[in-house]
Amino acid sequence: MSALARPWVRLAIAAAAGAAAAGAVAGLLALAVIYGGLFDATADTPHIPVVAWAAHNAFKTSVRARADQAEPPPALTSDQLLDGVRVYDANCSACHGAPGVNRAGFAQAMIPTPPYLLDAARRWDRRQLAWIVDHGIKMTAMPAWGEVLPKDRIDHVVGFVYALPRLSPMDYARLRARALASAPPGRPIPAALAPAQPRPATPASGAAPSGPPSGAPPA
Amino acid sequence: MTRLARPALALLAALAVLPGPAGCARAPVSAPFGDPQAGHIVMARQACGSCHRIPGDELAIGRAGPPLAHMARRTVIAGVLPNTPDNLAHWVQSPQSVVPGNAMPDMGLSARQARDVAAYLETLE
């Protein structure tokens, strides 16, 4: 009786052949997607649910795995927190909004769309927030702010985002007014020295997801 | 007679967007109040899920605002408005005019988008 006749050997050979065939088919499919244009790279067509799920969860585990090795962020003074408000106002609020303040009109055309951060601190700890801000997020519009902002200012803005769940819209407006009014010389002041006002409502007619936009102007 | 006709029509319109019995499919595009599917897309584009949990959307896990489950069965919106499709559309279009200083910003929705969002929320039994 040869070795090939043993049932478990035949089973192993069949399994290996099956795996090789499946691998070859998967490879051909991947080539078809890459070279055949099967993947829809347009932003306004959402990922199919399984891809959205995979991308989002890969992002979360990636941040946790890396940020948890990072050094804990430093404790901040109130002046440093005010600087965090300035950084937020200049770089973040257009895409992420703020308590009681909506995002710029273009943010709804960014897909995946940038989230409001009112409870981001309930989902991420400070090290993770700092990691995201510092390094950005692949295949989204989140910039790697570490490329353009000094490390201390990233710590400042992360400290502010971490405090967001404890701020009412009124608190935020007051804090922002104070932060912008107390900007040290040499630090850019991005907007008028005024409390946060909701942005003017954009008609968003171009962003109506289906059909022609209605003629009615927004209230 | 005509004075009574308008509220009656409004009531009929409101009844028309209420979901039918289970298993009875509604035609979303021709719904008189708004298009729930379009409303769902508007909600995704506006990042509603970053502050609200939304049934069926596992990325909508926000806890800054209330979860949107059972919106169709709520009696009151934001604690002050009776839950009707018109009021819901008004709320999502200009929450700051209903409860000034609350954390939900006016999102800049068009009237049509607001109706679509309200129509979607009214499907959440």
Side-chain angles (χ1 to χ4, degrees):
Chain A
M1 193 170 172
S2 76
L4 271 178
R6 294 173 199 269
W8 67 268
V9 173
R10 282 192 296 192
L11 201 65
I13 291 173
V25 169
L28 284 175
L29 268 178
L31 286 175
V33 168
I34 295 165
Y35 287 105
L38 293 185
F39 179 73
D40 186 348
T42 56
D44 56 0
T45 314
H47 284 307
I48 58 174
V50 64
V51 174
W53 171 85
H56 193 73
N57 284 288
F59 151 64
K60 285 197 290 192
T61 53
S62 161
V63 170
R64 288 189 194 124
R66 286 159 181 78
D68 292 355
Q69 315 293 323
E71 290 197 13
L76 298 181
T77 65
S78 58
D79 278 348
Q80 289 172 323
L81 266 179
L82 279 181
D83 185 55
V85 178
R86 286 190 284 274
V87 175
Y88 190 89
D89 191 73
N91 303 296
C92 312
S93 71
C95 290
H96 289 292
V101 181
N102 68 341
R103 309 175 302 173
F106 62 76
Q108 67 186 314
M110 300 166 74
I111 307 164
T113 202
Y116 287 86
L117 301 177
L118 269 60
D119 67 349
R122 298 261 189 268
R123 291 195 276 277
W124 304 103
D125 66 25
R126 274 182 65 187
R127 275 194 297 200
Q128 293 162 346
L129 287 171
W131 187 268
I132 292 170
V133 174
D134 194 357
H135 298 283
I137 301 168
K138 246 188 203 77
M139 292 179 80
T140 72
M142 178 65 181
W145 288 102
E147 304 276 325
V148 291
L149 285 178
K151 179 81 177 71
D152 61 328
R153 301 200 81 195
I154 289 177
D155 286 336
H156 299 170
V157 76
V158 167
F160 167 68
V161 170
Y162 201 67
L164 268 178
R166 300 193 291 278
L167 291 182
S168 72
M170 193 78 89
D171 294 334
Y172 170 71
R174 276 197 291 259
L175 201 57
R176 176 176 178 271
R178 222 174 95 204
L180 296 188
S182 64
R187 290 257 155 111
I189 298 177
L193 300 180
Q197 294 292 331
R199 291 169 219 287
T202 39
S205 55
S210 70
S214 74
Chain B
M1 196 57 199
T2 47
R3 278 189 165 194
L4 281 174
R6 281 187 65 147
L9 275 177
L11 186 63
L12 274 179
L15 286 174
V17 299
L18 288 176
C24 174
R26 291 183 298 137
V29 177
S30 59
F33 186 76
D35 176 353
Q37 285 181 342
H40 197 191
I41 295 173
V42 170
M43 292 184 68
R45 297 286 196 269
Q46 295 288 348
C48 301
S50 55
C51 291
H52 298 281
R53 277 172 288 160
I54 302 171
D57 183 350
E58 75 161 73
L59 301 184
I61 52 171
R63 287 168 194 270
L68 302 182
H70 313 304
M71 272 310 298
R73 293 170 184 236
R74 299 274 173 84
T75 47
V76 179
I77 303 161
V80 290
L81 285 178
N83 186 2
T84 67
D86 279 321
N87 282 345
L88 199 47
H90 177 58
W91 164 257
V92 298
Q93 190 173 24
S94 55
Q96 291 296 325
S97 75
V98 180
V99 182
N102 92 87
M104 177 163 161
D106 292 344
M107 324 284 289
L109 299 185
S110 68
R112 179 206 175 97
Q113 288 176 317
R115 281 198 308 274
D116 289 345
V117 167
Y120 174 73
L121 293 174
E122 293 286 340
T123 68
L124 301 176
E125 280 292 308

